[in-house]
Amino acid sequence: MDNKKKLPMLTVVVPCYNEEEAVPFFYKEITRVAGIMSETNFEFLFVDDGSSDGTLAYLRKLAASDKRVRYVSFSRNFGKESAMYAGLENATGDYIAIMDADLQDPPALLPEMLAAIENEGYDSVATKRSTRKGEPVIRSMFARMFYRIINKISKVQMVPGARDFILMKRRVKDAILKMPEYNRYTKGIFNWVGFKVKWISYDNIKRIAGKTKWSFWKLFKYSVECIVAFSTAPLAIASFFGFMLCLIAVVGIIVVVIRDCAGIQSAAGWPSMICIMLFIGGVQLFCIGILGTYISKTYLESKGRPMYLTAETEKDNVNVNETRMNTEN
Ligand code: UDP
Ligand code: MG
């Protein structure tokens, strides 16, 4: 039998879009940390998300000089979500980390995160910012508002300040890849799949070089994407308004009848006309809401999300199996 212990492999997935200024800094820092973590093998998987600068040329050079470096280059810019998906799909490691190229996700945290998985029994370690220091005020305000809304209308809870910097076991990665939906919001999907997660927080760090790729408008669209992906509440709005209109119409009709009986007359026919219009409008909206409910069910079905995800079976508990085999022999 081979006595040499096989070291676990950690794949670091790095989405890069026009990051020629930041990637060299990132590579230097990640190799420094990899050097400290002598009990782990590394694979650095860069995903070039259709960069138009020298990112790809630099990655080619890196891959030629360092066997641990691999890269996937997109035909055009598909967005960070697609880049993360491609990274997870191509990762071969036992553990997988997703990190930004601009060192806003400090590689120096990796030893602590890996220890939580290897020694404390966690399946994944997620990170969040403890402060939004250094971010524009309006951006923070909208971010806070977004989290308040989404956590009211979605069953999956989103953690304010959560980053895409996650370290996970292969099992969690496979679970995330089982969610084939096209409109992706990885932070939400990560919460959806569950497993035993440890959260750690750190102060906001400024990007090392280059510029942010997220404009305010891009972030706004991204938050709408999250709401649509994880909540069907907007589809129920029509039902709500329809029901309210019907209620107002019924109250109005009662008032009209009472006034008529009491002999109080306004312009003949006008109050009853308004009540009928309100009622018909309400019924229509209510019916649209019912349609919305069916559409929301169809929408959820069309995502093809798995019915369940397994965290462990008796086969995973290798030690137990080994003792069982030994006693059988
Ligand atoms: N990114 C990407 N595709 C995009 C936009 C961004 O792969 O279309 C990458 C980018 O290269 C970086 C990470 O996603 O590694 C985070 O982007 P950025 O730092 O610009 O966002 P911020 O930290 O300002 O939110
Ligand atoms: Mg950044």
Side-chain angles (χ1 to χ4, degrees):
M1 220 184 123
D2 189 8
N3 278 336
K4 235 171 48 193
K5 205 174 111 206
K6 196 170 165 279
L7 294 181
M9 164 89 89
L10 196 164
T11 303
V12 181
V13 170
V14 194
C16 305
Y17 177 48
N18 292 342
E19 298 283 10
E20 67 176 352
E21 287 161 72
V23 172
F25 289 103
F26 178 83
Y27 177 70
K28 199 167 156 226
E29 176 64 7
I30 195 75
T31 42
R32 185 188 70 80
V33 174
I36 300 170
M37 299 168 74
S38 52
E39 291 290 288
T40 315
N41 284 331
F42 275 85
E43 170 181 74
F44 308 125
L45 179 55
F46 293 89
V47 183
D48 165 39
D49 183 10
S51 301
S52 51
D53 65 353
T55 305
L56 178 60
Y58 183 75
L59 293 180
R60 282 193 195 118
K61 242 179 24 209
L62 272 190
S65 65
D66 185 343
K67 275 212 294 287
R68 297 168 297 178
V69 174
R70 293 174 55 210
Y71 66 84
V72 175
S73 181
F74 286 176
S75 57
R76 64 167 170 86
N77 179 241
F78 281 91
K80 189 183 177 189
E81 283 294 334
S82 304
M84 289 193 286
Y85 189 84
L88 293 181
E89 214 170 29
N90 287 284
T92 60
D94 305 293
Y95 307 115
I96 298 94
I98 302 178
M99 307 185 84
D100 285 2
D102 56 7
L103 286 180
Q104 284 190 300
D105 303 327
L109 281 179
L110 280 176
E112 181 192 335
M113 291 164 81
L114 190 59
I117 291 184
E118 287 189 327
N119 310 329
E120 296 170 35
Y122 287 100
D123 293 307
S124 53
V125 183
T127 60
K128 60 179 178 180
R129 288 185 287 195
S130 48
T131 57
R132 287 188 171 269
K133 225 167 40 201
E135 202 185 55
V137 184
I138 298 198
R139 204 188 249 213
S140 309
M141 207 178 75
F142 271 90
R144 266 195 291 273
M145 203 165 77
F146 162 72
Y147 281 110
R148 215 172 305 142
I149 295 175
I150 186 72
N151 282 334
K152 274 225 174 78
I153 60 177
S154 162
K155 273 189 221 146
V156 179
Q157 289 298 295
M158 309 288 165
V159 179
R163 294 195 53 88
D164 288 320
F165 181 18
I166 306 168
L167 177 68
M168 59 193 126
K169 279 187 182 169
R170 186 188 287 156
R171 168 165 298 146
V172 180
K173 175 203 77 168
D174 291 341
I176 291 177
L177 289 177
K178 271 196 190 147
M179 312 270 278
E181 54 208 76
Y182 183 77
N183 292 299
R184 295 183 78 76
Y185 183 75
T186 296
K187 277 183 266 207
I189 291 175
F190 177 71
N191 291 333
W192 193 94
V193 299
F195 293 97
K196 237 180 127 200
V197 185
K198 179 174 183 174
W199 282 90
I200 59 175
S201 48
Y202 59 89
D203 277 346
N204 197 22
I205 302 166
K206 281 226 173 85
R207 147 188 277 285
I208 185 98
K211 279 201 204 78
T212 175
K213 310 295 176 294
W214 293 87
S215 62
F216 183 79
W217 181 235
K218 230 172 146 184
L219 273 175
F220 182 76
K221 282 203 300 204
Y222 193 51
S223 57
V224 171
E225 196 136 291
C226 169
I227 291 176
V228 174
F230 283 91
S231 168
T232 48
L235 283 173
I237 290 176
S239 275
F240 175 75
F241 280 117
F243 185 73
M244 292 310 280
L245 276 188
C246 283
L247 214 65
I248 295 170
V250 168
V251 173
I253 289 169
I254 293 172
V255 171
V256 169
V257 170
I258 293 175
R259 272 167 45 129
D260 256 20
C261 291
I264 308 167
Q265 283 283 349
S266 51
W270 185 80
S272 46
M273 201 57 173
I274 292 294
C275 289
I276 291 165
M277 276 169 62
L278 272 183
F279 189 72
I280 293 177
V283 168
Q284 282 175 340
L285 266 184
F286 191 69
C287 291
I288 291 176
I290 293 175
L291 276 182
T293 314
Y294 281 92
I295 288 177
S296 74
K297 299 288 172 221
T298 318
Y299 174 64
L300 290 180
E301 294 283 346
S302 71
K303 281 179 188 273
R305 288 182 180 172
M307 303 284 274
Y308 64 87
L309 295 163
T310 309
E312 190 177 320
T313 68
E314 83 286 345
K315 289 196 191 78
D316 298 310
N317 217 332
V318 183
N319 295 338
V320 175
N321 274 349
E322 265 171 15
T323 26
R324 200 179 292 153
M325 279 179 34
N326 287 342
T327 46
E328 275 169 9
N329 286 342

